[in-house]
Amino acid sequence: MEAANQESTFPAGQPADASLAQVHWSNLLALGDEAIADGRLEDAFEHYGNALRIAKQSGPGSDWLAESYIRLADACAALDRGIPALRLYRQAIAILDRLPDGVSPQLAHAVSNMGRLHMLNGETARAAELTAAADALLRKLNVPDSPAIKLNLALVAATAGRDRDADRAFTEALAAADRCRGTIGALVFAVHDNFAQFCIRHDRKADAEMALRSCLILRQEAGGPRHPVYADGLVNLARLHLLHDAEDEAGTLLWQASDVCRHNDDAPAAALVEALYLLARIAQQDDRTVEAESLCDRLSAFGEENAEATAAAQAAALHIGARLRLAGPDRLAAEAPMRQALGLADSLSGDFRRLGDDISGDLLCGLSELLAEFGKGAEAERLTARANDLRGQPRWAVTGFVFVAPGR
């Protein structure tokens, strides 16, 4: 992770006997960075929180206190704790604003990530203002483009419908990411994955596939073909194939991804749940009922074993089960599991957010059709409107880890 490459210096003017506190503080930051690299966000949050407590003893206006606030804010944002993250970023900015050298890439990073949080909350105008300010600050400092800041700029522009600006920012983010090839990590992957999503929205299939295949190569370079990070790339490429009805190619990639996850205890739960869910959808749509039910059983079993994945696995299994019931003689029996699955899917967040959107989008359409068939037209129309709103929202591949890979 690029956050691990930052240098942390002890503030000038501090007493010499504070050096032990500095060492302890630096070690805690290193432990937090290591936890992020291993995908242990909660552990990183704890380490950064402890570092902040030590930094507060240095006084109200030190640069390492500001850095501690930013690190903890990054971790909060990555954990979908948006309100605390915004508060921590503001505290860091207030400190940096009072320091002689406070106008820095760290300040730009904090402002840019605040913009992304506002974007995720639907506050597009505020997000555009903050990300543009962060980008302008980097230019003023005459430092190399940051992939993270360019990515935030592109995401906000695309979300606001400024596609030409978004395309330019994505191009600049890709160029900046290419300069970071020596430190391949979540940020570099996110730039490629989100550019692919942008291309998909604009029917640029060839560009999307090129971006995802380039990212798959980067993932292999970073971890090898049996690493969970490679499995994530396989799932992303499979999704593109499914959008263009290439089920055989998608199925091959998804089975490979599920096999990698199954043999790796450190694999992110979201990758395995998505792979099994998409395989079950393919089987259900092709009337391979026994295979679909078997995959639902695997989903349920995994959800019971992994508390992090319980809601997502249940939503996925219930959705497929309801779809199978819709194909049977008693179609109305599918309504209850569809509503239950919809409630679970709407609650999913973090790395499961994309899966939740997939399940919700299909369930809203299917439930609307079912209710209309049985004379519940008013509710059916409301569900159709919700489905249309969901389809209109960009599905960015904004995983939490990108917040903590600032590329400063």
Side-chain angles (χ1 to χ4, degrees):
M1 302 291 289
E2 289 166 328
N5 295 332
Q6 300 173 96
E7 292 185 2
S8 301
T9 57
F10 193 67
Q14 292 291 320
D17 58 6
S19 59
L20 288 177
Q22 178 204 6
V23 171
H24 191 192
W25 174 76
S26 298
N27 287 340
L28 284 168
L29 291 189
L31 287 172
D33 295 339
E34 183 180 331
I36 287 168
D38 293 339
R40 296 179 286 110
L41 286 176
E42 289 286 359
D43 290 345
F45 177 80
E46 181 178 353
H47 293 312
Y48 292 147
N50 290 333
L52 176 60
R53 279 189 282 275
I54 292 175
K56 284 181 176 180
Q57 299 172 11
S58 70
S62 69
D63 52 359
W64 58 319
L65 179 59
E67 182 174 352
S68 300
Y69 274 122
I70 291 175
R71 297 289 190 99
L72 191 59
D74 289 345
C76 276
L79 289 163
D80 267 352
R81 300 169 188 168
I83 294 175
L86 282 171
R87 185 171 63 250
L88 291 163
Y89 282 130
R90 290 189 186 104
Q91 288 173 296
I93 290 169
I95 294 170
L96 290 169
D97 192 49
R98 294 193 297 268
L99 294 176
D101 56 349
V103 179
S104 64
Q106 285 86 346
L107 175 63
H109 162 73
V111 171
S112 178
N113 267 2
M114 286 179 68
R116 189 193 314 186
L117 286 169
H118 283 291
M119 179 199 79
L120 293 174
N121 289 333
E123 304 165 48
T124 309
R126 181 63 173 151
E129 177 185 346
L130 289 168
T131 51
D135 190 51
L137 179 56
L138 277 193
R139 291 198 302 272
K140 180 180 179 181
L141 292 169
N142 197 28
V143 298
D145 284 340
S146 158
I149 289 176
K150 289 298 184 182
L151 172 60
N152 285 345
L153 197 67
L155 294 176
V156 171
T159 302
R162 294 184 286 107
D163 292 333
R164 184 174 298 178
D165 292 340
D167 205 358
R168 181 172 60 252
F170 271 122
T171 300
E172 293 170 349
L174 286 165
D178 192 56
R179 292 194 294 271
C180 297
R181 285 289 292 270
T183 53
I184 297 172
L187 175 59
V188 176
F189 305 150
V191 171
H192 288 79
D193 289 341
N194 283 289
F195 177 62
Q197 292 302 313
F198 177 75
C199 292
I200 288 169
R201 288 184 69 204
H202 296 279
D203 296 321
R204 292 162 51 183
K205 178 178 183 278
D207 290 338
E209 184 166 356
M210 182 180 298
L212 290 176
R213 289 194 179 279
S214 295
C215 191
L216 195 60
I217 293 170
L218 293 173
R219 289 172 181 272
Q220 184 170 357
E221 290 178 7
R226 304 298 299 173
H227 194 278
V229 76
Y230 188 71
D232 284 333
L234 292 170
V235 172
N236 290 341
L237 188 56
R239 282 180 168 277
L240 178 65
H241 287 314
L242 287 175
L243 284 175
H244 296 89
D245 298 320
E247 290 185 356
D248 290 343
E249 293 91 336
T252 299
L253 294 168
L254 291 168
W255 279 117
Q256 186 180 351
S258 66
D259 184 63
V260 171
C261 293
R262 187 166 58 89
H263 289 93
N264 196 314
D265 293 336
D266 296 328
L272 181 57
V273 173
E274 279 200 64
L276 294 176
Y277 166 72
L278 293 173
L279 285 167
R281 281 298 308 274
I282 294 171
Q284 174 259 314
Q285 290 169 349
D286 290 347
D287 295 323
R288 302 197 307 270
T289 303
V290 174
E291 182 181 343
E293 290 175 340
S294 175
L295 288 163
C296 285
D297 290 340
R298 284 187 62 185
L299 278 166
S300 298
F302 181 66
E304 291 174 2
E305 297 169 2
N306 191 312
E308 179 189 1
T310 299
Q314 287 179 349
L318 282 167
H319 178 211
I320 301 301
R323 276 293 177 188
L324 291 172
R325 288 190 182 189
L326 283 174
D330 187 10
R331 286 172 52 80
L332 195 56
E335 181 180 356
M338 289 176 82
R339 289 187 184 277
Q340 186 181 356
L342 182 59
L344 289 167
D346 286 343
S347 72
L348 299 180
S349 61
D351 290 342
F352 292 104
R353 182 181 289 129
R354 182 174 65 174
L355 175 68
D357 287 347
D358 280 349
I359 295 173
S360 294
D362 186 74
L363 281 169
L364 287 168
C365 293
L367 193 54
S368 175
E369 293 173 4
L370 183 67
L371 294 176
E373 180 181 337
F374 286 92
K376 301 180 181 180
E379 186 178 2
E381 289 180 7
R382 288 196 297 272
L383 293 174
T384 298
R386 279 185 61 192
N388 291 336
D389 288 343
L390 189 59
R391 286 197 198 97
Q393 296 174 6
R395 291 188 177 183
W396 303 123
V398 184
T399 65
F401 291 102
V402 183
F403 280 103
V404 286
R408 311 177 215 181

